Amino acid sequence: MAPPPVATDAQSPAIAGVLPDEFMDSLEDADLGGQTRVVPPRAMPKGDAALVYVPVGMDWAALGTILALMTVGIVMAFSASVYVALHNFNGDESHFLTRHLMHAAVALFVLIAAMRFPYQAWRKLAYPLLIFAIGGLVAVLFFGKTVNNATRWIIIGGFPFQPAEFSKIAFVIYLAHSLTKKISTEAVHRFSVGFLPHAIVWCIAFALCMREPDLGTGIVLAILLFSMCYVAGTNMAYVIFVGLLGMGGLAAFIMHNPMRLARFVAFLHPELYRQTTGFQAFNAQLAVATGGLFGNGLGMSRQKLGFVPEAHTDFILSIIAEELGLIGVALIGLAFVFLMARGLRIAMRARDEFGRLVATGITVLLGTQAAVNFGVVMGTLPTKGLTLPFVSHGGSSLIVLSLAAGVLLNVGRGGNPDFAWPELRLPRLWRRRDEEPERPRNTRIHRAKAKISGGIS
Amino acid sequence: MAMRDANGRQTSIQRIRTRVFQLIDRAGDTPKARQERAGRRVQQVVGVLGLKIVMAYCFGIMLVIHVADVRRFAEDNWNSRTKIETRRGDILDRNGVTLATSLRADSVSVDPRWVLPPGYLPWRAPEDPLPGAQLIDEAAEAEAVALAQEEKKPKKRDKSKSKTMKFDDPIAVQLRATVAKRIAEVTATPLSEVTERLAKPHGFTYVAKHVDDQAARALKSMKSRGLLPGVTIQPDWLRYFPNNQLAGALIGTDQSTGSVEQSFDRILRGQVVELVSAKDVSAIPLYYEGAPDPGLYGGRSVKLTIDEKIQAVAEHHIRQAVIEREADFGIAVVMDVQTGDILALAETSGMNPNDTDKPPVPFGWHNIAIENQYEPGSTFKVFTVAAALQEKVLKKDEIIPISSPVVIGSKVIKDDHPHSQCNWWQCLQVSSNIAMSKIAMRMKKETFGDYLIKLGFSKRVDTGLTGEGAGQLAWPPDKWPLIQYANIAFGQGIAVTPLQIVAAYGTLASGGVYRRPRLVREVRSPDGRHDEQFPVDPGRRVYDAEVAKDTLFAMASVCQPKGENSLGGTGTQARMPNYSIGGKTGTAQQVDPKNGRYSETHWVGSFIGVTPIENPRLVVFAAVDNPKKFDPKLGKVMRYGGAIAAPVVREIGRFALPYLGVPPSPGAPYLDKNDPEKARRDDEARRLAANKAADQLIKKDAIAQIGAQMAAVAGASAPELQAAAKAQVGKPGQTVGNAAVSQGNMATATGNDGQALADAQAPHAGDVRVPDLRRLPMRSVRERLHAAGLVLEAHGSGVGTVQGPLPGAMVPKGTVVHVNFRRMSDGTDVPQPVALNSNP
């Protein structure tokens, strides 16, 4: 078989320098005369189909991590909510547990459904979802239910729902879709094309969030905007400039309102304001401190007796720290870091730009929520109303984040609706001599070979 | 992808643009490179987030490392520390009868400012700090400012924020009226009083002190339902003296000097126990973890040497004497010779510690029996005789001429009852001042002074009671002028306290050994670990046994009537049936505090008896201060101790000796020597009779109390009602004391059916049914019995366990109902199941 003519691009010095090593390896591989089909660069599909990385397939580890976090959440939210349930719900100590289990059942269903739903189809739903989310944020201003001085809930058919939670995933899908379009037109670098429209959408969402008020969601949306634009390739200069502007605006925003300023000052010195503004933060840190390395034991928290407000939702990590100690917190943190690593892997090996951006957005969404929650509980960030994904009690958050996780896993599977159940392989304790696998001589080439063949076929 | 021309080459402009993009973004290359770069960006973003988690975790590690800094706050959060005042100890008599006890009776206090509807705070002027809240930091101030700003915009007003209400808001006024009505109804306090207390915005005020259990329960249940905002029900104790006036001044209150309550306050007072409890954010204690048993930290009980019945008898008779002689006051002391125990310490002020509204007359809140010191007069002569016998300056065969007065300087010593001569014991029998001064002159002043010191004069007896008198004795004796020495020899020019002279008589009675009188037998602690015994004083020898015996012989002669070899003693009225007695009368002039001279009108008539004289058991002291009753037969005021105090000693001895089971004296009148069996039976009968008499006496006082209380309630005159009560008691077939107990025994024997037995007995008209008092705290028992017109005799303290007469029995009004109480280990009045067939 005669090798096809080599494309001029490959010899162009301007481009050759930036060709990936794997590609060069593939040429070497061809020279070796192996069984691998050598693909000339000319024959490489262009556009989205040009990807070389193989989708990771069904990420069972990530799914397992999510389910484990949800299980921990059910146990710990029950433990942390007993006091509130006893006091506010006529002594029904399992009030929150039953609701949490119902939410978890729905969330599991949503997760599996989203996992089987080809993610490319979300592109068609991007704008309807965005309009729906914005509409929800507007509706909550008129029909919302006020709890703790914030109007965040809207009652649909007897079930409370937070449009702000939904707006996060809608914003991720919208951004991914929009940025993919801009990338394909190569205008994503431009401020007016790559950044401004998204920033305007964010401004609308942010303004609506602040009416509730819900600064946390607004900031999460901002982080999504910046990180996804950055990943999509928007010029960093704009991003940094606008980011600095936004931080100045935020500072002015905090300084303007004495109550917000008081809260910020309390964040800096919670022990001085432990009776008033810093009550929540101080007591959360007290819980972490007294929990120690190994914790007081499951169910043995004292700070959950009303001292840590929202102990079962936003501040559940403090109760975990008190009951299970820093060891338990470390396991939770490792679970999130692992989840993010898997998300990163899915994003890097996504089949197309949209998939990569969606996966990035969802990973950032989960990571931001987890990081901010950790920071708030440990006292490195001021108090925000953000849940710990999959762990905190709260139906909207759990279901929406499960949907996001489902989409992420589907991206990992390359949009494939079906998946094979993993083979159950028991580890072999010994190996017969004749079964010993051949060690590849040239690992680098071997890997490239495998990737190329896998990527094309 | 960079743009290319038709030949596939980049134009120069395009090439520049590509370079620019490469510089800016390294764009314009293959999708794969782009994908790689995008992947690196994803790595960066996710890495930053992961780093944030790690950073936060490091903060968590720092928090755990510095946990010691915040441990204090955590403790404050988790633990509520309540200080509770535990129960004050009881005061018991030598047989364990309760003389003073503490009953659980909660008090109700209210903060009128906080009587507001739920969710409201008291309104405050902007510059005043909120009562009960501490606004100390700027952050809170800022929040308050923000709140104030929000309040200006009514539509933004948040319902969840607490609102304020002024004190004179119509709603608050109405609520206060409702709360006042509820409290008044439950606690049976006049509504006007409660309303008045609630009318002013002061911080804290009691509306009802010591409410009963039922009311406290009702109030607590109302409070838990939120019907009593601003009201606090505080645990409190009510000090209760079951016998009212009996030993009133001795038991006293914690404000009266010379009282057991005040003197042993440190022993009686319960420790303040700090209960540590887990609490939640609203500071409600959740459970007590390893809490100390408050019952074990209660005050210790003081067991006195006082015998309730002897005390009652002594008080009764000394009071009778004081009334009869129109005296200022009287004191009676009974001491057990063998142990030095004070069996009775009676005085006549009639102090009732249950009724502390107005101080008793004439001395206010003082125990005059302890504080009083007086010139003993002739009762002191026995010590002169004893000292002279001991010093062998008084010969038993000599005759002392006492016909002519002794003249020392300008002073003349003479006798009231002149005689020509006397021997060594007759000088005491006729109470001759002349003989005493002559005998005393034979001794050195220092020698005599030493005897007085050895007998404990001029030194506090130290019974442990506050305000005890020490007496007065000029010192040193060699500086005494002769006339003072002669005066001291017959008991003038020296001041003693009743306890001192009783102890000194006890020295003679116990064969010359001085024993310090004992008032407290033991102190018992609730946990039994801090018990304290006060042993009998081993004593110190002052006189030889022979000397003491001779002196007793001389004292016995004082009570001998005129006859062969007897000149006729001054204390013949002290003689009593069956028991021999010896003693000494005393009629002493007292110094008028106005001019420092002996008063012509202020005398103290006293008698100190030792009985029975062969084997002394009791020293009985009685003194009547300043008798003013004009005796028309004598034509003057009768003030001789032999006439006014000796009968008191006789009556006390007559009761106390059989009561204590002392065998009758061999040589005494009325004793049937021929039939020992009959004598023994008589002995037993006398003992029972004495017991019954004492019960009657205590009951009579109780009737007076009931009468007074009924009068106070009904507005009728007390004597009428007392007469009515007496009429009720006087009925035949009544059951008191032992009779009641025996009835209980019968009921047990006939199959534990007290009801049937009670029904079988024909009830008299006006009889009352005995309520079931078992498992009830003493306070309720007392109230129920008072309501039924019955008298409580409490044994022990705590919850009623056994009672007699049995519940359901029909008894006359005024009957004494005996109830045994047992205290629960935690000091509360928690009822425990009691076997119904317990033997009372």
mmCIF file of all heavy atoms in Angstrom, chain A residues 51-52 83 230-231 274 277 283 289 302-303 305 307 326 330 356 378 380, chain B residues 4 32 35 38 41 44 56-57 59 67 73 77-79 139 280-281:
data_model
loop_
_atom_site.group_PDB
_atom_site.id
_atom_site.type_symbol
_atom_site.label_atom_id
_atom_site.label_comp_id
_atom_site.label_asym_id
_atom_site.label_seq_id
_atom_site.Cartn_x
_atom_site.Cartn_y
_atom_site.Cartn_z
ATOM 1 N N LEU A 51 -10.697 15.698 16.649
ATOM 2 C CA LEU A 51 -10.153 15.370 17.960
ATOM 3 C C LEU A 51 -9.434 14.047 17.933
ATOM 4 O O LEU A 51 -9.858 13.092 17.300
ATOM 5 C CB LEU A 51 -11.282 15.320 18.995
ATOM 6 C CG LEU A 51 -11.957 16.658 19.178
ATOM 7 C CD1 LEU A 51 -13.150 16.517 20.083
ATOM 8 C CD2 LEU A 51 -10.985 17.666 19.733
ATOM 9 N N VAL A 52 -8.375 14.015 18.690
ATOM 10 C CA VAL A 52 -7.582 12.806 18.718
ATOM 11 C C VAL A 52 -7.870 12.017 19.988
ATOM 12 O O VAL A 52 -7.840 10.804 19.998
ATOM 13 C CB VAL A 52 -6.090 13.167 18.622
ATOM 14 C CG1 VAL A 52 -5.253 11.906 18.559
ATOM 15 C CG2 VAL A 52 -5.855 14.035 17.407
ATOM 16 N N TYR A 83 -32.027 18.258 65.667
ATOM 17 C CA TYR A 83 -32.413 19.305 66.620
ATOM 18 C C TYR A 83 -33.449 20.252 66.007
ATOM 19 O O TYR A 83 -34.484 20.524 66.595
ATOM 20 C CB TYR A 83 -31.170 20.077 67.054
ATOM 21 C CG TYR A 83 -31.481 21.251 67.935
ATOM 22 C CD1 TYR A 83 -31.683 21.074 69.294
ATOM 23 C CD2 TYR A 83 -31.598 22.525 67.404
ATOM 24 C CE1 TYR A 83 -31.990 22.143 70.106
ATOM 25 C CE2 TYR A 83 -31.903 23.592 68.208
ATOM 26 C CZ TYR A 83 -32.095 23.395 69.554
ATOM 27 O OH TYR A 83 -32.408 24.458 70.346
ATOM 28 N N TYR A 230 -12.300 31.690 29.808
ATOM 29 C CA TYR A 230 -10.853 31.457 29.794
ATOM 30 C C TYR A 230 -10.529 30.161 29.077
ATOM 31 O O TYR A 230 -9.640 30.103 28.229
ATOM 32 C CB TYR A 230 -10.348 31.426 31.237
ATOM 33 C CG TYR A 230 -8.908 31.048 31.377
ATOM 34 C CD1 TYR A 230 -7.919 31.834 30.775
ATOM 35 C CD2 TYR A 230 -8.527 29.930 32.096
ATOM 36 C CE1 TYR A 230 -6.592 31.492 30.893
ATOM 37 C CE2 TYR A 230 -7.206 29.580 32.216
ATOM 38 C CZ TYR A 230 -6.229 30.363 31.603
ATOM 39 O OH TYR A 230 -4.921 30.018 31.733
ATOM 40 N N VAL A 231 -11.272 29.109 29.388
ATOM 41 C CA VAL A 231 -11.023 27.819 28.753
ATOM 42 C C VAL A 231 -11.336 27.892 27.267
ATOM 43 O O VAL A 231 -10.627 27.314 26.435
ATOM 44 C CB VAL A 231 -11.850 26.722 29.445
ATOM 45 C CG1 VAL A 231 -11.809 25.426 28.652
ATOM 46 C CG2 VAL A 231 -11.351 26.500 30.850
ATOM 47 N N ARG A 274 -18.864 37.276 67.955
ATOM 48 C CA ARG A 274 -19.437 35.938 68.022
ATOM 49 C C ARG A 274 -20.883 35.951 68.497
ATOM 50 O O ARG A 274 -21.605 35.001 68.291
ATOM 51 C CB ARG A 274 -18.603 35.062 68.936
ATOM 52 C CG ARG A 274 -18.512 35.566 70.347
ATOM 53 C CD ARG A 274 -17.653 34.674 71.195
ATOM 54 N NE ARG A 274 -17.583 35.206 72.532
ATOM 55 C CZ ARG A 274 -16.738 36.128 72.921
ATOM 56 N NH1 ARG A 274 -15.858 36.604 72.070
ATOM 57 N NH2 ARG A 274 -16.760 36.595 74.147
ATOM 58 N N THR A 277 -22.985 39.360 64.528
ATOM 59 C CA THR A 277 -22.869 39.106 63.094
ATOM 60 C C THR A 277 -22.030 37.877 62.797
ATOM 61 O O THR A 277 -22.273 37.180 61.834
ATOM 62 C CB THR A 277 -22.233 40.321 62.402
ATOM 63 O OG1 THR A 277 -22.111 41.356 63.374
ATOM 64 C CG2 THR A 277 -23.082 40.802 61.290
ATOM 65 N N ASN A 283 -19.327 29.937 65.293
ATOM 66 C CA ASN A 283 -19.754 28.649 65.824
ATOM 67 C C ASN A 283 -19.370 27.512 64.892
ATOM 68 O O ASN A 283 -19.085 26.404 65.353
ATOM 69 C CB ASN A 283 -21.255 28.660 66.100
ATOM 70 C CG ASN A 283 -21.555 29.245 67.448
ATOM 71 O OD1 ASN A 283 -21.135 28.708 68.456
ATOM 72 N ND2 ASN A 283 -22.237 30.372 67.484
ATOM 73 N N ALA A 289 -13.002 23.230 65.306
ATOM 74 C CA ALA A 289 -11.890 23.188 66.248
ATOM 75 C C ALA A 289 -12.092 22.102 67.298
ATOM 76 O O ALA A 289 -11.174 21.343 67.610
ATOM 77 C CB ALA A 289 -11.729 24.541 66.917
ATOM 78 N N ARG A 302 -22.186 18.777 69.501
ATOM 79 C CA ARG A 302 -22.908 19.650 70.434
ATOM 80 C C ARG A 302 -23.300 20.953 69.753
ATOM 81 O O ARG A 302 -24.271 21.595 70.135
ATOM 82 C CB ARG A 302 -22.031 19.962 71.650
ATOM 83 C CG ARG A 302 -21.567 18.760 72.420
ATOM 84 C CD ARG A 302 -22.661 18.160 73.265
ATOM 85 N NE ARG A 302 -22.999 18.966 74.422
ATOM 86 C CZ ARG A 302 -22.405 18.866 75.600
ATOM 87 N NH1 ARG A 302 -21.441 18.016 75.774
ATOM 88 N NH2 ARG A 302 -22.769 19.614 76.612
ATOM 89 N N GLN A 303 -22.492 21.343 68.774
ATOM 90 C CA GLN A 303 -22.751 22.615 68.112
ATOM 91 C C GLN A 303 -23.997 22.549 67.242
ATOM 92 O O GLN A 303 -24.535 23.573 66.843
ATOM 93 C CB GLN A 303 -21.553 23.008 67.238
ATOM 94 C CG GLN A 303 -20.350 23.432 68.035
ATOM 95 C CD GLN A 303 -20.554 24.801 68.664
ATOM 96 O OE1 GLN A 303 -20.987 24.913 69.799
ATOM 97 N NE2 GLN A 303 -20.268 25.840 67.927
ATOM 98 N N LEU A 305 -26.792 21.766 68.204
ATOM 99 C CA LEU A 305 -27.965 22.091 69.018
ATOM 100 C C LEU A 305 -28.308 23.563 68.859
ATOM 101 O O LEU A 305 -28.409 24.305 69.845
ATOM 102 C CB LEU A 305 -27.692 21.744 70.483
ATOM 103 C CG LEU A 305 -27.365 20.283 70.759
ATOM 104 C CD1 LEU A 305 -27.077 20.067 72.231
ATOM 105 C CD2 LEU A 305 -28.518 19.404 70.335
ATOM 106 N N PHE A 307 -26.523 25.972 67.667
ATOM 107 C CA PHE A 307 -25.458 26.974 67.678
ATOM 108 C C PHE A 307 -25.000 27.305 66.266
ATOM 109 O O PHE A 307 -24.695 28.448 65.968
ATOM 110 C CB PHE A 307 -24.274 26.480 68.512
ATOM 111 C CG PHE A 307 -24.614 26.323 69.955
ATOM 112 C CD1 PHE A 307 -24.744 25.075 70.522
ATOM 113 C CD2 PHE A 307 -24.841 27.430 70.741
ATOM 114 C CE1 PHE A 307 -25.076 24.931 71.834
ATOM 115 C CE2 PHE A 307 -25.176 27.287 72.062
ATOM 116 C CZ PHE A 307 -25.300 26.042 72.609
ATOM 117 N N LEU A 326 -11.218 15.901 61.403
ATOM 118 C CA LEU A 326 -10.542 16.334 60.181
ATOM 119 C C LEU A 326 -10.330 15.158 59.236
ATOM 120 O O LEU A 326 -10.194 15.350 58.028
ATOM 121 C CB LEU A 326 -9.203 16.967 60.534
ATOM 122 C CG LEU A 326 -9.255 18.433 60.976
ATOM 123 C CD1 LEU A 326 -7.857 18.963 61.146
ATOM 124 C CD2 LEU A 326 -10.006 19.275 59.971
ATOM 125 N N ALA A 330 -11.268 15.377 55.501
ATOM 126 C CA ALA A 330 -10.263 15.086 54.476
ATOM 127 C C ALA A 330 -10.835 14.130 53.442
ATOM 128 O O ALA A 330 -10.601 14.289 52.241
ATOM 129 C CB ALA A 330 -9.025 14.474 55.136
ATOM 130 N N ARG A 356 -16.400 19.683 25.842
ATOM 131 C CA ARG A 356 -15.336 20.114 26.735
ATOM 132 C C ARG A 356 -15.792 21.273 27.606
ATOM 133 O O ARG A 356 -15.554 21.316 28.813
ATOM 134 C CB ARG A 356 -14.109 20.510 25.930
ATOM 135 C CG ARG A 356 -12.994 21.006 26.837
ATOM 136 C CD ARG A 356 -11.662 21.020 26.159
ATOM 137 N NE ARG A 356 -11.625 21.960 25.048
ATOM 138 C CZ ARG A 356 -11.282 21.656 23.800
ATOM 139 N NH1 ARG A 356 -10.949 20.428 23.508
ATOM 140 N NH2 ARG A 356 -11.273 22.575 22.853
ATOM 141 N N MET A 378 -14.437 26.835 57.130
ATOM 142 C CA MET A 378 -13.146 26.924 57.816
ATOM 143 C C MET A 378 -12.759 28.370 58.111
ATOM 144 O O MET A 378 -11.758 28.611 58.773
ATOM 145 C CB MET A 378 -12.046 26.281 56.968
ATOM 146 C CG MET A 378 -12.344 24.863 56.562
ATOM 147 S SD MET A 378 -12.399 23.759 57.947
ATOM 148 C CE MET A 378 -12.877 22.242 57.187
ATOM 149 N N THR A 380 -12.089 30.887 55.797
ATOM 150 C CA THR A 380 -11.239 31.629 54.877
ATOM 151 C C THR A 380 -12.049 32.493 53.922
ATOM 152 O O THR A 380 -11.483 33.281 53.187
ATOM 153 C CB THR A 380 -10.383 30.675 54.035
ATOM 154 O OG1 THR A 380 -11.250 29.870 53.256
ATOM 155 C CG2 THR A 380 -9.542 29.789 54.923
ATOM 156 N N ARG B 4 -5.612 30.923 4.141
ATOM 157 C CA ARG B 4 -4.605 30.732 3.103
ATOM 158 C C ARG B 4 -5.101 31.264 1.764
ATOM 159 O O ARG B 4 -6.321 31.368 1.537
ATOM 160 C CB ARG B 4 -4.287 29.236 2.961
ATOM 161 C CG ARG B 4 -3.519 28.721 4.148
ATOM 162 C CD ARG B 4 -3.406 27.230 4.134
ATOM 163 N NE ARG B 4 -2.705 26.818 5.358
ATOM 164 C CZ ARG B 4 -3.327 26.678 6.505
ATOM 165 N NH1 ARG B 4 -4.619 26.870 6.597
ATOM 166 N NH2 ARG B 4 -2.620 26.346 7.573
ATOM 167 N N LYS B 32 -5.979 20.070 17.346
ATOM 168 C CA LYS B 32 -5.413 19.242 18.399
ATOM 169 C C LYS B 32 -4.606 20.076 19.390
ATOM 170 O O LYS B 32 -4.751 19.934 20.624
ATOM 171 C CB LYS B 32 -4.503 18.193 17.759
ATOM 172 C CG LYS B 32 -4.218 17.061 18.709
ATOM 173 C CD LYS B 32 -3.479 15.986 18.007
ATOM 174 C CE LYS B 32 -2.935 15.012 19.004
ATOM 175 N NZ LYS B 32 -2.047 14.065 18.371
ATOM 176 N N GLN B 35 -6.945 21.986 21.338
ATOM 177 C CA GLN B 35 -7.565 21.127 22.347
ATOM 178 C C GLN B 35 -6.632 20.931 23.529
ATOM 179 O O GLN B 35 -7.049 20.989 24.690
ATOM 180 C CB GLN B 35 -7.883 19.768 21.713
ATOM 181 C CG GLN B 35 -8.632 18.855 22.639
ATOM 182 C CD GLN B 35 -8.746 17.457 22.061
ATOM 183 O OE1 GLN B 35 -8.001 17.093 21.149
ATOM 184 N NE2 GLN B 35 -9.660 16.700 22.594
ATOM 185 N N ALA B 38 -6.569 24.088 25.503
ATOM 186 C CA ALA B 38 -7.815 24.200 26.272
ATOM 187 C C ALA B 38 -7.770 23.262 27.454
ATOM 188 O O ALA B 38 -8.184 23.606 28.574
ATOM 189 C CB ALA B 38 -9.011 23.884 25.379
ATOM 190 N N ARG B 41 -5.856 24.743 30.142
ATOM 191 C CA ARG B 41 -6.615 25.779 30.853
ATOM 192 C C ARG B 41 -7.592 25.149 31.843
ATOM 193 O O ARG B 41 -7.767 25.622 32.961
ATOM 194 C CB ARG B 41 -7.366 26.658 29.854
ATOM 195 C CG ARG B 41 -6.449 27.535 29.058
ATOM 196 C CD ARG B 41 -7.257 28.656 28.431
ATOM 197 N NE ARG B 41 -6.592 29.121 27.216
ATOM 198 C CZ ARG B 41 -6.997 28.836 25.991
ATOM 199 N NH1 ARG B 41 -8.072 28.114 25.794
ATOM 200 N NH2 ARG B 41 -6.341 29.288 24.956
ATOM 201 N N GLN B 44 -5.728 24.273 34.749
ATOM 202 C CA GLN B 44 -5.429 25.416 35.619
ATOM 203 C C GLN B 44 -6.634 25.794 36.474
ATOM 204 O O GLN B 44 -6.531 25.969 37.693
ATOM 205 C CB GLN B 44 -4.994 26.611 34.773
ATOM 206 C CG GLN B 44 -3.607 26.455 34.174
ATOM 207 C CD GLN B 44 -3.379 27.388 33.015
ATOM 208 O OE1 GLN B 44 -4.170 28.298 32.786
ATOM 209 N NE2 GLN B 44 -2.310 27.157 32.259
ATOM 210 N N ALA B 56 -8.388 25.659 52.348
ATOM 211 C CA ALA B 56 -9.411 25.694 53.400
ATOM 212 C C ALA B 56 -9.156 24.591 54.404
ATOM 213 O O ALA B 56 -9.297 24.781 55.623
ATOM 214 C CB ALA B 56 -10.798 25.537 52.783
ATOM 215 N N TYR B 57 -8.715 23.432 53.914
ATOM 216 C CA TYR B 57 -8.456 22.320 54.815
ATOM 217 C C TYR B 57 -7.298 22.648 55.756
ATOM 218 O O TYR B 57 -7.341 22.311 56.947
ATOM 219 C CB TYR B 57 -8.128 21.065 53.993
ATOM 220 C CG TYR B 57 -8.086 19.831 54.830
ATOM 221 C CD1 TYR B 57 -9.264 19.252 55.270
ATOM 222 C CD2 TYR B 57 -6.887 19.264 55.215
ATOM 223 C CE1 TYR B 57 -9.240 18.130 56.059
ATOM 224 C CE2 TYR B 57 -6.846 18.149 56.005
ATOM 225 C CZ TYR B 57 -8.027 17.579 56.422
ATOM 226 O OH TYR B 57 -8.007 16.470 57.210
ATOM 227 N N PHE B 59 -6.615 25.566 56.818
ATOM 228 C CA PHE B 59 -7.216 26.419 57.861
ATOM 229 C C PHE B 59 -7.887 25.570 58.927
ATOM 230 O O PHE B 59 -7.820 25.872 60.112
ATOM 231 C CB PHE B 59 -8.225 27.389 57.229
ATOM 232 C CG PHE B 59 -7.656 28.732 56.982
ATOM 233 C CD1 PHE B 59 -6.761 28.934 55.948
ATOM 234 C CD2 PHE B 59 -7.997 29.798 57.793
ATOM 235 C CE1 PHE B 59 -6.224 30.182 55.720
ATOM 236 C CE2 PHE B 59 -7.460 31.044 57.576
ATOM 237 C CZ PHE B 59 -6.577 31.243 56.524
ATOM 238 N N VAL B 67 -7.186 24.863 69.197
ATOM 239 C CA VAL B 67 -8.488 24.647 69.846
ATOM 240 C C VAL B 67 -8.495 25.168 71.279
ATOM 241 O O VAL B 67 -9.521 25.592 71.801
ATOM 242 C CB VAL B 67 -8.863 23.150 69.791
ATOM 243 C CG1 VAL B 67 -7.898 22.327 70.607
ATOM 244 C CG2 VAL B 67 -10.272 22.929 70.290
ATOM 245 N N PHE B 73 -15.070 29.180 74.889
ATOM 246 C CA PHE B 73 -16.346 29.537 74.245
ATOM 247 C C PHE B 73 -17.197 28.289 74.032
ATOM 248 O O PHE B 73 -18.413 28.322 74.165
ATOM 249 C CB PHE B 73 -16.088 30.226 72.908
ATOM 250 C CG PHE B 73 -15.268 31.475 73.027
ATOM 251 C CD1 PHE B 73 -14.029 31.566 72.438
ATOM 252 C CD2 PHE B 73 -15.746 32.543 73.750
ATOM 253 C CE1 PHE B 73 -13.274 32.712 72.559
ATOM 254 C CE2 PHE B 73 -14.996 33.692 73.881
ATOM 255 C CZ PHE B 73 -13.759 33.785 73.286
ATOM 256 N N ASN B 77 -20.886 27.482 75.340
ATOM 257 C CA ASN B 77 -21.975 27.106 74.449
ATOM 258 C C ASN B 77 -22.708 25.875 74.965
ATOM 259 O O ASN B 77 -23.930 25.822 74.955
ATOM 260 C CB ASN B 77 -21.397 26.770 73.075
ATOM 261 C CG ASN B 77 -21.431 27.947 72.139
ATOM 262 O OD1 ASN B 77 -21.844 29.032 72.532
ATOM 263 N ND2 ASN B 77 -21.014 27.740 70.932
ATOM 264 N N TRP B 78 -21.953 24.909 75.392
ATOM 265 C CA TRP B 78 -22.532 23.585 75.585
ATOM 266 C C TRP B 78 -23.136 23.398 76.960
ATOM 267 O O TRP B 78 -24.046 22.612 77.129
ATOM 268 C CB TRP B 78 -21.470 22.514 75.368
ATOM 269 C CG TRP B 78 -20.863 22.547 74.021
ATOM 270 C CD1 TRP B 78 -21.381 23.170 72.929
ATOM 271 C CD2 TRP B 78 -19.641 21.965 73.616
ATOM 272 N NE1 TRP B 78 -20.550 23.000 71.866
ATOM 273 C CE2 TRP B 78 -19.467 22.262 72.253
ATOM 274 C CE3 TRP B 78 -18.680 21.200 74.251
ATOM 275 C CZ2 TRP B 78 -18.372 21.834 71.527
ATOM 276 C CZ3 TRP B 78 -17.588 20.774 73.521
ATOM 277 C CH2 TRP B 78 -17.438 21.088 72.171
ATOM 278 N N ASN B 79 -22.576 24.083 77.943
ATOM 279 C CA ASN B 79 -22.973 23.778 79.306
ATOM 280 C C ASN B 79 -23.733 24.936 79.923
ATOM 281 O O ASN B 79 -23.286 26.072 79.852
ATOM 282 C CB ASN B 79 -21.744 23.469 80.159
ATOM 283 C CG ASN B 79 -21.007 22.261 79.643
ATOM 284 O OD1 ASN B 79 -21.613 21.360 79.089
ATOM 285 N ND2 ASN B 79 -19.703 22.264 79.788
ATOM 286 N N ALA B 139 -20.535 46.007 65.045
ATOM 287 C CA ALA B 139 -21.248 45.250 64.028
ATOM 288 C C ALA B 139 -22.726 45.163 64.374
ATOM 289 O O ALA B 139 -23.597 45.387 63.526
ATOM 290 C CB ALA B 139 -20.661 43.851 63.928
ATOM 291 N N ASP B 280 -28.923 23.713 74.751
ATOM 292 C CA ASP B 280 -28.954 24.091 73.346
ATOM 293 C C ASP B 280 -28.837 25.611 73.254
ATOM 294 O O ASP B 280 -28.583 26.277 74.241
ATOM 295 C CB ASP B 280 -30.212 23.560 72.662
ATOM 296 C CG ASP B 280 -31.464 24.184 73.237
ATOM 297 O OD1 ASP B 280 -31.338 25.044 74.118
ATOM 298 O OD2 ASP B 280 -32.560 23.797 72.811
ATOM 299 N N VAL B 281 -29.032 26.127 72.044
ATOM 300 C CA VAL B 281 -28.746 27.539 71.833
ATOM 301 C C VAL B 281 -29.697 28.428 72.632
ATOM 302 O O VAL B 281 -29.357 29.543 73.013
ATOM 303 C CB VAL B 281 -28.797 27.873 70.322
ATOM 304 C CG1 VAL B 281 -30.218 27.823 69.810
ATOM 305 C CG2 VAL B 281 -28.166 29.215 70.041
#
